[in-house]
């Protein structure tokens, strides 16, 4: 029987209707079968529509021409996903528009939930300082729970870019400089966001970004080119992405940078060969904001159509906000320049996720007003935020045990622009800033110390002030106090996207304020809050104590008060080296020996050195003090020689030799001493965080196997070469407690 066009259309319509009206329809089929059936119904325009993502701040606001344009596109099935539409009311409203489209394919709602939705957690760089994977997973899980309760299906996190350049503002979003730690954190955050399995209403899709190399933008300038060897790419920059993929991350985002001349968005090597090829990745890749179109100014595509062509060929599945796909892909297919199979593959990947999330069964399942109310007001979330905030704090200096503050302190002077600030403590990338939920340092301390003790507050200066008008008041406050706590740092908009800086000294007159206050002779505890490592030489030299608190989020004040009073013993360790000067950047502990190493700092002539600075950072990767002390003893290795199929066990004892309970992060670094490719002096390969009561000891074991000894050789094979290895265990990268040797046969 031959059907007329009209009859055929009717049939398609009825099948499509079946999908939406009868949720049970097709449920016995596998997701792949359901995707295939749907794909068969789709026109080329509808397919391309699924690859199009708009930002929707305007869609729910007053009627503008952009709003009309977006809504018409959604109704016509020309949109696969929206970002920045959130909240049950708004997501329901916009989903209802998508369901008016011919095939009623639900939208994916996405947003940058980077460190919390309503409950603001510490910035990711801060959380990395906890070296506590369970705390990091939990923080991501609560962020996901809140996001999934406001209609969101997808967060653009975690950022897993390795970063070794403190000028780069986006360091705050990542896990710091180290590949191994960064990979474990990538995994923890993906598992936290995505929960047990996609489809739970307490989980959202995660997105490993920015693929790849973005953290190595030349000169730390955001959006800049990246030039790196394949070896460094594979060894240092790709593993956290691989870890995210292995953890089941639902999506990837590519990046704004070029990698060795080719924009990441148009980079087939990254997206087709590595990600979808070698790694067999089945999720989808979203472009970064407008990055398809940006291949034109990069000088890599001649116009938007060429950019769309290059991006789809290279494996970018969804176009965020460039509209390059929407306007050009169907034509490119009709002109036979792009094979429809490529479009089908991209659409299939996206539809698969929509099915997996359960959106075809209930497009509103994440938009439930009752759950929104309940989850966003769960008092537990605040406690989790406080817990991870205190775990993120790093104690850099504590002379004469000035910390914790003694209970006998009668008067504290709280000085500095961040003493009463709230917004700055949240940091950047906040979906909903509600400073009424933030505890300032002042409030935190006030609620924690003895009610009869006094806190005198003086701002001293603003963060970027040039003048010293407030200094006199600050000095007067210090003079009346037993101890001074200074709250200094960056404002929330000084680190983050597009916030690269050439000067990363503590901004404005804050160090001068510190010197003026310190000159009173009072003990000065400096609390530094920032989105990146800062440089603060005067404070380093003269402060009695230094607490690095990053941007700790809503519970910053309470977490800091717990640390300052000793209710919580700090155990954070730096996830990134702190340079002495900008001239040392990029800096990482995993540096090379060179052919001319400095053996004696007094003899640096013709050595790989600076004539005006040591090579070492001010504070090394992995560094952080405690209110107690730890000793490392009794190192042993089970075998001094192993074959590549065997492993050895390195063991030692850690003891708490101080008077209070505390936690220590023992770190294992390895160096292959002679290899076919020169190896860094140290690479982190394992660590353990142990809690010890005063006087308590624990035996620690690190398993050493081939995986920990391997590296990428000159033809990019992951290989462990026979020879001698140095196994170093330390309290930080620059505080190695003992070295054992191991030979690989
Ligand atoms: C950033 C991404 C972010 C996207 C959407 C871009 O400018 O680079 O990390 O996810 O905007 O907000």
């Amino acid at each position: 029987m031959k059907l007329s066009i009209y009859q055929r259309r009717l049939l398609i319509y009825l099948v499509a209707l079946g999908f939406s009206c009868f949720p049970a329809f097709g449920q016995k089929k596998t997701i792949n079968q359901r995707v295939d059936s749907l794909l068969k119904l789709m026109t080329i325009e509808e397919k391309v529509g699924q690859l199009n993502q708009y930002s929707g701040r305007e869609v729910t606001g007053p009627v503008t021409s952009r709003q009309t344009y977006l809504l018409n596109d959604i109704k016509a099935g020309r949109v696969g996903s929206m970002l920045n539409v959130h909240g049950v009311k708004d997501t329901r409203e916009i989903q209802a528009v998508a369901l008016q489209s011919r095939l009623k394919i639900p939208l994916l709602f996405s947003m940058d939930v980077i460190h919390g939705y309503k409950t603001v957690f510490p910035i990711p760089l801060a959380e990395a300082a906890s070296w506590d994977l369970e705390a990091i997973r939990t923080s991501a899980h609560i962020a996901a729970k809140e996001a999934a309760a406001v209609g969101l299906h997808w967060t653009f996190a975690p950022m897993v870019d390795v970063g070794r350049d403190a000028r780069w503002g986006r360091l705050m979003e990542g896990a710091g400089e180290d590949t191994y730690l960064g990979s474990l954190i990538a995994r923890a955050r993906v598992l936290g966001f995505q929960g047990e399995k996609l489809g739970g209403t307490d989980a959202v899709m995660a997105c490993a970004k920015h693929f790849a190399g973005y953290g190595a933008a030349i000169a730390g300038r955001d959006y800049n080119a990246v030039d790196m060897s394949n070896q460094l790419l594979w060894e240092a920059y790709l593993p956290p992405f691989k870890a995210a993929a292995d953890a089941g991350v639902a999506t990837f985002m590519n990046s704004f940078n070029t990698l060795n001349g080719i924009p990441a968005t148009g980079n087939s090597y990254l997206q087709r060969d590595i990600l979808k090829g070698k790694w067999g990745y089945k999720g989808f890749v979203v472009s970064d904001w407008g990055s398809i179109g940006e291949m034109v100014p990069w000088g890599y595509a001649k116009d938007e159509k060429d950019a769309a062509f290059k991006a789809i060929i290279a494996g970018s599945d969804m176009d965020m906000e460039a509209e390059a796909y929407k306007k050009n892909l169907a034509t490119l297919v009709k002109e036979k320049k792009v094979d429809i199979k490529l479009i089908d593959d991209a659409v299939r990947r996206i539809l698969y996720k929509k099915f997996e999330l359960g959106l075809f069964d209930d497009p509103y399942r994440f938009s439930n007003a009752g759950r929104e109310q309940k989850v966003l007001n769960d008092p537990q979330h605040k406690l989790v935020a406080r817990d991870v905030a205190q775990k993120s704090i790093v104690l850099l200096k504590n002379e004469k045990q000035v910390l914790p503050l003694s209970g006998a302190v009668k008067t504290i002077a709280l000085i500095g622009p961040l003493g009463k600030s709230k917004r700055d403590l949240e940091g950047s990338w906040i979906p909903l800033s509600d400073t009424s939920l933030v505890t300032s340092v002042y409030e935190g301390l006030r609620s924690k110390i003895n009610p009869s003790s006094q806190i005198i507050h003086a701002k001293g200066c603003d963060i970027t002030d040039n003048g010293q008008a407030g200094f006199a008041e600050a000095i007067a406050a210090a003079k009346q106090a037993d101890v001074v706590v200074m709250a200094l740092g960056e404002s929330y908009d000084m680190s983050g996207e597009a916030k690269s800086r050439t000067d990363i000294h503590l901004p404005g007159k804050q160090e001068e304020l510190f010197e003026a206050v310190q000159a009173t002779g009072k003990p000065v505890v400096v609390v530094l809050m920032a989105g990146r490592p800062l440089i603060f030489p005067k404070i380093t030299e003269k402060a009695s104590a230094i607490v690095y608190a990053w941007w700790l989020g809503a519970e910053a004040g309470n977490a800091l008060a717990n640390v300052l009073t000793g209710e919580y013993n700090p155990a954070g360790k730096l996830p990134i080296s702190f340079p002495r000067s900008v001239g040392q950047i990029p800096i990482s502990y995993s540096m090379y020996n060179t052919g001319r190493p400095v053996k004696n700092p007094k003899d640096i002539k013709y050595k790989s050195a600076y004539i005006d600075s040591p090579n070492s950072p001010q504070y090394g990767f992995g560094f952080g003090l405690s209110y107690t002390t730890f000793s490392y003893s009794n190192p042993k290795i089970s075998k001094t020689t192993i074959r590549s199929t065997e492993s050895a066990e390195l063991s030692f004892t850690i003891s708490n030799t101080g008077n209070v309970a505390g936690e220590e992060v023992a770190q294992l670094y390895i160096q292959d001493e002679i290899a076919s490719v020169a190896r860094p002096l140290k690479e982190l390969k394992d660590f353990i965080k142990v809690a010890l009561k005063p006087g308590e000891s624990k035996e620690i074991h690190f398993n050493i196997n081939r995986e920990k000894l391997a590296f990428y050789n000159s033809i990019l094979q992951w290989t462990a070469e026979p020879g001698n290895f140095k196994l170093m265990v330390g309290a930080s990268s620059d505080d190695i407690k003992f070295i054992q040797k191991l030979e690989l046969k």
Side-chain angles (χ1 to χ4, degrees), residues 83 112 156 170 209-210 253 256 288-289 320 429 497:
L83 69 143
D112 292 276
F156 298 128
R170 300 201 77 169
K209 70 188 191 185
H210 306 84
M253 184 187 291
F256 290 124
D288 204 345
W289 182 294
M320 182 195 289
W429 281 124
E497 185 177 347

Side-chain angles (χ1 to χ4, degrees), residues 588-615:
S588 160
Y589 77 91
S590 63
M591 54 178 90
Y592 294 90
N593 200 36
T594 80
R596 296 187 179 199
V598 178
K599 291 195 180 120
N600 170 3
K602 293 207 178 92
D603 173 21
I604 58 163
K605 204 161 180 195
Y606 298 115
K607 297 283 164 24
S608 181
Y610 298 106
I611 58 172
D612 59 352
S613 163
N615 289 353

Side-chain angles (χ1 to χ4, degrees), residues 390 395 398 401 403-404 562-563 565-572 625-631 654-665 689-698:
Q390 57 198 22
L395 180 66
N398 193 17
Q401 307 272 301
L403 287 177
N562 284 351
V563 163
T565 57
E567 182 167 319
Y568 180 82
N569 184 356
L625 301 170
S626 164
Y627 294 152
T628 187
T629 48
F630 300 98
S631 78
I654 304 188
S655 311
N656 180 342
T657 47
N659 300 322
V660 287
E663 286 168 291
E664 170 69 328
V665 179
K689 190 169 186 176
V690 266
L692 294 167
K693 297 194 188 76
E696 195 187 2
S697 296
K698 271 189 192 151

Side-chain angles (χ1 to χ4, degrees), residues 466-702:
N466 280 325
Q468 302 194 345
F471 280 27
E473 188 199 0
I475 294 166
K479 283 185 176 155
Q480 295 172 61
D482 305 315
V483 61
V484 180
V485 174
M486 295 193 75
L488 309 174
E490 288 187 313
S491 60
Y492 73 91
D493 55 357
M494 294 181 96
S495 285
E497 185 177 347
K499 304 288 184 216
S500 293
R501 291 171 58 197
T502 59
D503 180 358
I504 57 164
H505 280 87
L506 187 60
K509 293 283 171 205
Q510 297 182 84
E511 271 218 296
E512 281 91 330
L513 175 66
F514 160 77
E515 281 190 289
V517 168
Q518 196 267 340
T520 60
K522 295 294 164 94
V524 182
V525 173
V526 178
V527 177
L528 290 163
M529 287 168 269
R532 53 153 64 91
L534 291 173
I535 297 173
F536 40 89
K538 301 279 174 8
I539 292 172
T540 295
E541 188 192 330
K542 297 185 193 158
S544 309
I546 306 173
V547 172
Y548 213 82
W550 320 96
W551 287 327
L552 290 177
E555 284 297 299
N558 289 324
L560 274 163
N562 284 351
V563 163
L564 295 175
T565 57
E567 182 167 319
Y568 180 82
N569 184 356
K573 300 269 190 177
L574 297 177
I576 185 160
S577 309
F578 275 42
R580 293 170 194 273
S581 66
V582 169
Q584 289 183 306
I585 295 174
I587 186 167
S588 160
Y589 77 91
S590 63
M591 54 178 90
Y592 294 90
N593 200 36
T594 80
R596 296 187 179 199
V598 178
K599 291 195 180 120
N600 170 3
K602 293 207 178 92
D603 173 21
I604 58 163
K605 204 161 180 195
Y606 298 115
K607 297 283 164 24
S608 181
Y610 298 106
I611 58 172
D612 59 352
S613 163
N615 289 353
S616 62
Q618 186 66 62
Y619 301 102
F621 172 81
F623 174 72
L625 301 170
S626 164
Y627 294 152
T628 187
T629 48
F630 300 98
S631 78
Y632 289 63
S633 60
N634 211 14
K636 281 188 262 172
I637 183 137
S638 63
K639 294 178 198 157
T640 50
T641 303
I642 57 168
R643 293 181 192 286
S644 69
T645 50
E646 297 171 342
S647 60
E649 200 161 79
L650 179 67
S651 56
F652 55 97
T653 304
I654 304 188
S655 311
N656 180 342
T657 47
N659 300 322
V660 287
E663 286 168 291
E664 170 69 328
V665 179
Q667 301 154 40
L668 169 71
Y669 296 89
I670 296 186
Q671 186 198 15
D672 184 343
E673 292 186 298
I674 299 168
S676 62
V677 173
R679 306 302 307 146
L681 282 167
K682 282 172 204 143
E683 289 176 287
L684 183 74
K685 293 291 176 179
D686 210 342
F687 65 86
I688 184 167
K689 190 169 186 176
V690 266
L692 294 167
K693 297 194 188 76
E696 195 187 2
S697 296
K698 271 189 192 151
E699 197 169 288
I700 306 297
H701 301 268
F702 286 133

Side-chain angles (χ1 to χ4, degrees), residues 256-568:
F256 290 124
N257 55 284
T258 51
L259 180 66
N260 303 329
I262 316 240
T265 307
N267 201 312
S268 292
Y269 177 58
L270 285 174
Q271 300 177 111
R272 291 248 179 248
D273 300 352
I274 300 176
L275 181 63
K276 294 177 178 174
K278 201 171 163 49
W279 295 353
Y281 183 65
K282 297 284 182 277
F284 70 88
V285 181
V286 61
S287 79
D288 204 345
W289 182 294
S291 69
I292 297 181
E294 288 179 17
M295 291 199 287
V296 177
W298 265 117
Y300 184 73
K302 76 172 186 296
D303 52 26
E304 189 195 62
K305 186 173 172 188
D306 190 28
F309 169 77
K310 287 185 165 136
I312 194 78
I313 296 284
S316 294
D317 299 309
M318 186 180 272
D319 174 356
M320 182 195 289
E321 268 291 339
E323 294 190 40
Y325 280 3
K326 190 191 99 167
K327 293 180 186 154
N328 301 288
L329 278 188
T331 314
L332 284 163
V333 171
K334 284 171 195 155
E335 290 171 355
K336 302 219 174 334
K337 292 190 178 123
V338 168
D339 191 333
I340 186 71
K341 284 195 191 123
L342 286 187
I343 312 286
D344 285 350
D345 176 60
V347 176
R348 212 176 246 122
R349 287 167 183 268
I350 293 162
L351 292 179
Y352 194 97
K353 293 298 165 202
K354 292 186 176 183
F355 275 108
E356 227 181 334
L357 287 165
L359 295 179
F360 282 97
D361 304 320
D362 176 5
Y364 301 106
R365 62 195 296 263
F366 290 81
S367 305
N368 173 307
R371 197 171 62 246
E372 181 178 49
Q373 267 304 312
K374 186 158 168 256
V375 173
L376 292 190
N377 294 305
D378 186 336
Q380 198 59 29
H381 295 186
K382 193 174 141 113
L383 299 180
V384 177
R386 187 180 309 171
D387 178 64
V388 66
Q390 57 198 22
K391 286 177 169 151
S392 304
I393 295 171
V394 185
L395 180 66
L396 295 178
K397 184 177 182 185
N398 193 17
E399 248 177 29
K400 297 193 200 126
Q401 307 272 301
V402 62
L403 287 177
L405 299 174
S406 139
V409 164
K410 280 272 152 275
T411 308
I412 298 172
L414 176 62
I415 296 172
L418 291 171
K420 284 196 171 174
S421 167
K422 294 194 170 199
R423 177 64 191 93
D424 296 313
L425 276 45
E426 292 180 310
S428 64
W429 281 124
I430 303 299
L432 310 170
S433 171
D434 180 353
T435 49
S436 71
L437 302 174
V438 179
T439 310
S440 67
V441 179
Y442 178 85
E443 289 166 346
L445 265 181
R446 186 60 280 172
S447 69
K448 185 63 48 182
I449 61 167
N450 199 324
S452 65
S453 301
Q454 197 194 355
I455 302 180
I456 310 172
H457 173 255
K459 200 169 182 188
C461 62
D462 279 320
I463 290 169
T464 51
D465 259 3
N466 280 325
Q468 302 194 345
F471 280 27
E473 188 199 0
I475 294 166
K479 283 185 176 155
Q480 295 172 61
D482 305 315
V483 61
V484 180
V485 174
M486 295 193 75
L488 309 174
E490 288 187 313
S491 60
Y492 73 91
D493 55 357
M494 294 181 96
S495 285
E497 185 177 347
K499 304 288 184 216
S500 293
R501 291 171 58 197
T502 59
D503 180 358
I504 57 164
H505 280 87
L506 187 60
K509 293 283 171 205
Q510 297 182 84
E511 271 218 296
E512 281 91 330
L513 175 66
F514 160 77
E515 281 190 289
V517 168
Q518 196 267 340
T520 60
K522 295 294 164 94
V524 182
V525 173
V526 178
V527 177
L528 290 163
M529 287 168 269
R532 53 153 64 91
L534 291 173
I535 297 173
F536 40 89
K538 301 279 174 8
I539 292 172
T540 295
E541 188 192 330
K542 297 185 193 158
S544 309
I546 306 173
V547 172
Y548 213 82
W550 320 96
W551 287 327
L552 290 177
E555 284 297 299
N558 289 324
L560 274 163
N562 284 351
V563 163
L564 295 175
T565 57
E567 182 167 319
Y568 180 82

